[in-house]
């Protein structure tokens, strides 16, 4: 009787560990559902209670394009994550926001001064330039320069707003305001 109970407990523990390992692998390499906070991506994402769906198949910058929204490790603080839009690919020449006061944007080897006010940088291989959609409230590449592709954790493909409930204003089922986030970048 005791052996049977121990076997049952062992079986439950074994399946719990397996399920935990499977969940970890899915979260690390396939898919992540995570909350975003802050005004950095307004109007694409809400400042609070927005959750994004990120595909991990785009980790390390695989298959990303200009205009994609990514989740990445913050270069200046590895304990924090960022959610930004790619606005420059490797080899692109970017006009750095002239209002940025970061010393990083003033490196003479990386910047070519146009008229003494505007500064341009070339995005090096293996890096991207990222900015928040709400430029006036975003800490992004204008402050810490380019983002290494090795810090990219995934590509954001959809979002849910958890503050609106299950039904829309007309009483129709809406599954927490689920919406696909499409890349609308146009190169002209």
């Amino acid at each position: 009787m005791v052996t049977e109970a121990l076997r049952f407990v062992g079986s439950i523990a074994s399946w719990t560990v397996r399920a935990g390992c499977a969940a970890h692998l899915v979260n690390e390499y396939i898919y992540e559902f995570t909350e975003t906070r802050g005004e950095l991506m307004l109007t694409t994402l809400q400042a609070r209670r927005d959750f994004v769906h990120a595909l991990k198949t785009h980790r390390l910058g695989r298959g990303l394009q200009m205009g994609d929204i990514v989740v990445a490790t913050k270069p200046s603080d590895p304990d924090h994550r960022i959610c930004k839009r790619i606005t420059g690919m490797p080899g692109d020449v970017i006009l750095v926001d002239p209002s940025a006061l970061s010393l990083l944007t003033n490196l003479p080897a990386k910047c070519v001064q146009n008229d003494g006010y505007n500064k341009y940088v070339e995005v090096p291989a293996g890096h991207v330039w990222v900015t928040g959609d709400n430029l006036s409230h975003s800490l992004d590449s204008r402050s810490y320069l380019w983002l290494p592709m090795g810090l990219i954790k995934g590509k954001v493909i959809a979002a849910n707003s958890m503050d609106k409930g299950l039904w829309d204003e007309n009483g129709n089922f809406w599954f927490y305001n689920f919406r696909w986030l499409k890349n609308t970048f146009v190169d002209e």
Side-chain angles (χ1 to χ4, degrees):
M1 184 81 163
V2 172
T3 331
E4 206 171 295
L6 284 175
R7 235 183 269 151
F8 177 73
V9 170
S11 176
I12 295 296
S14 171
W15 280 105
T16 301
V17 169
R18 291 177 195 184
C21 289
H24 170 73
L25 289 174
V26 166
N27 187 57
E28 190 68 26
Y29 297 105
I30 299 172
Y31 169 81
E32 180 180 357
F33 183 69
T34 188
E35 183 178 12
T36 62
R37 293 183 187 158
E39 300 173 344
L40 313 172
M41 288 298 290
L42 285 174
T43 62
T44 305
L45 299 172
Q46 295 182 155
R48 292 184 12 207
R49 297 185 51 87
D50 239 5
F51 288 78
V52 295
H53 303 262
L55 288 181
K56 297 296 191 90
T57 54
H58 297 279
R59 286 179 60 226
L60 309 176
R62 287 187 216 113
L64 292 174
Q65 303 174 25
M66 179 88 83
D68 285 340
I69 300 172
V70 295
V71 175
T73 301
K74 188 175 184 178
S76 59
D77 186 359
D79 293 332
H80 287 89
R81 306 281 292 275
I82 58 172
C83 182
K84 305 287 182 197
R85 186 178 300 276
I86 295 176
T87 53
M89 297 299 285
D92 288 351
V93 176
I94 305 292
L95 171 63
V96 177
D97 180 10
S99 64
L101 298 176
S102 171
L103 294 175
L104 293 175
T105 61
N106 296 315
L107 295 173
K110 302 292 182 189
C111 296
V112 177
Q113 293 195 5
N114 182 18
D115 59 4
Y117 188 70
N118 296 324
K119 295 176 185 69
Y120 293 85
V121 294
E122 182 176 346
V123 180
H127 296 74
V128 292
W129 190 267
V130 293
T131 56
D133 287 355
N134 186 2
L135 291 175
S136 63
H137 286 87
S138 182
L139 182 62
D140 49 36
S141 288
R142 297 169 300 156
S143 299
Y144 49 73
L145 285 180
W146 35 80
L147 176 73
M149 288 184 177
L151 296 181
I152 296 175
K153 301 299 180 191
K155 174 183 169 180
V156 176
I157 58 165
N160 286 81
S161 297
M162 297 301 189
D163 62 348
K164 297 199 168 102
L166 291 173
W167 290 270
D168 66 9
E169 58 275 354
N170 299 326
N172 300 319
F173 181 69
W174 185 240
F175 192 64
Y176 285 109
N177 193 23
F178 177 87
R179 63 200 185 280
W180 292 102
L181 299 178
K182 303 217 186 275
N183 183 341
T184 57
F185 175 76
V186 178
D187 190 14
E188 293 184 27

Short mmCIF file of all heavy atoms in Angstrom, two decimals, residues 33 45 47 52 74 76 80 114 122 130 158 187:
data_model
loop_
_atom_site.label_atom_id
_atom_site.label_comp_id
_atom_site.label_asym_id
_atom_site.label_seq_id
_atom_site.Cartn_x
_atom_site.Cartn_y
_atom_site.Cartn_z
N PHE A 33 4.11 34.88 -24.28
CA PHE A 33 2.98 35.77 -24.03
C PHE A 33 3.37 36.60 -22.82
O PHE A 33 3.49 36.07 -21.72
CB PHE A 33 1.72 34.94 -23.77
CG PHE A 33 0.47 35.75 -23.56
CD1 PHE A 33 -0.09 36.45 -24.61
CD2 PHE A 33 -0.14 35.79 -22.32
CE1 PHE A 33 -1.26 37.18 -24.42
CE2 PHE A 33 -1.30 36.51 -22.12
CZ PHE A 33 -1.86 37.21 -23.18
N LEU A 45 0.59 49.96 -28.91
CA LEU A 45 0.30 49.23 -27.68
C LEU A 45 -0.12 50.21 -26.60
O LEU A 45 0.35 51.35 -26.58
CB LEU A 45 1.54 48.45 -27.22
CG LEU A 45 2.08 47.40 -28.18
CD1 LEU A 45 3.41 46.86 -27.68
CD2 LEU A 45 1.08 46.28 -28.36
N ALA A 47 -0.44 51.76 -22.74
CA ALA A 47 0.57 52.01 -21.72
C ALA A 47 0.51 50.96 -20.60
O ALA A 47 1.53 50.66 -19.98
CB ALA A 47 0.39 53.40 -21.13
N VAL A 52 1.54 40.99 -25.24
CA VAL A 52 1.95 40.73 -26.61
C VAL A 52 2.25 39.25 -26.81
O VAL A 52 2.67 38.55 -25.89
CB VAL A 52 3.16 41.59 -27.03
CG1 VAL A 52 2.81 43.06 -27.05
CG2 VAL A 52 4.36 41.33 -26.16
N LYS A 74 17.27 44.70 -22.87
CA LYS A 74 17.74 46.08 -22.91
C LYS A 74 19.26 46.10 -22.86
O LYS A 74 19.86 45.52 -21.95
CB LYS A 74 17.14 46.86 -21.73
CG LYS A 74 17.40 48.33 -21.77
CD LYS A 74 16.67 49.02 -20.63
CE LYS A 74 16.85 50.51 -20.70
NZ LYS A 74 16.10 51.18 -19.63
N SER A 76 21.45 48.34 -22.05
CA SER A 76 22.06 49.00 -20.90
C SER A 76 21.67 48.37 -19.56
O SER A 76 22.22 48.74 -18.54
CB SER A 76 21.68 50.49 -20.89
OG SER A 76 20.27 50.62 -20.85
N HIS A 80 16.23 43.83 -17.77
CA HIS A 80 14.98 44.38 -18.28
C HIS A 80 14.80 44.04 -19.76
O HIS A 80 15.77 43.86 -20.49
CB HIS A 80 14.95 45.90 -18.10
CG HIS A 80 14.75 46.30 -16.69
ND1 HIS A 80 15.79 46.49 -15.82
CD2 HIS A 80 13.61 46.54 -15.98
CE1 HIS A 80 15.31 46.83 -14.64
NE2 HIS A 80 13.99 46.86 -14.71
N ASN A 114 26.76 66.58 -40.19
CA ASN A 114 26.29 67.19 -41.42
C ASN A 114 26.43 68.71 -41.35
O ASN A 114 27.22 69.29 -42.05
CB ASN A 114 24.84 66.78 -41.68
CG ASN A 114 24.29 67.34 -42.97
OD1 ASN A 114 25.03 67.75 -43.84
ND2 ASN A 114 22.99 67.37 -43.09
N GLU A 122 25.98 54.84 -39.15
CA GLU A 122 25.72 53.66 -39.98
C GLU A 122 25.54 52.47 -39.06
O GLU A 122 26.37 52.22 -38.18
CB GLU A 122 26.87 53.40 -40.94
CG GLU A 122 26.60 52.22 -41.85
CD GLU A 122 27.69 52.00 -42.87
OE1 GLU A 122 28.54 52.89 -43.06
OE2 GLU A 122 27.70 50.91 -43.48
N VAL A 130 16.48 50.57 -33.33
CA VAL A 130 15.11 50.42 -32.85
C VAL A 130 14.64 51.71 -32.18
O VAL A 130 15.43 52.42 -31.56
CB VAL A 130 14.99 49.24 -31.84
CG1 VAL A 130 15.23 47.91 -32.51
CG2 VAL A 130 15.91 49.41 -30.65
N ALA A 158 1.05 39.88 -32.31
CA ALA A 158 -0.32 40.21 -31.90
C ALA A 158 -0.30 40.75 -30.47
O ALA A 158 0.71 40.66 -29.78
CB ALA A 158 -1.21 38.97 -31.98
N ASP A 187 8.63 51.38 -48.11
CA ASP A 187 9.89 51.98 -48.54
C ASP A 187 9.65 52.68 -49.86
O ASP A 187 9.41 52.03 -50.87
CB ASP A 187 10.97 50.91 -48.66
CG ASP A 187 12.34 51.50 -48.88
OD1 ASP A 187 12.51 52.72 -48.67
OD2 ASP A 187 13.25 50.75 -49.26
#
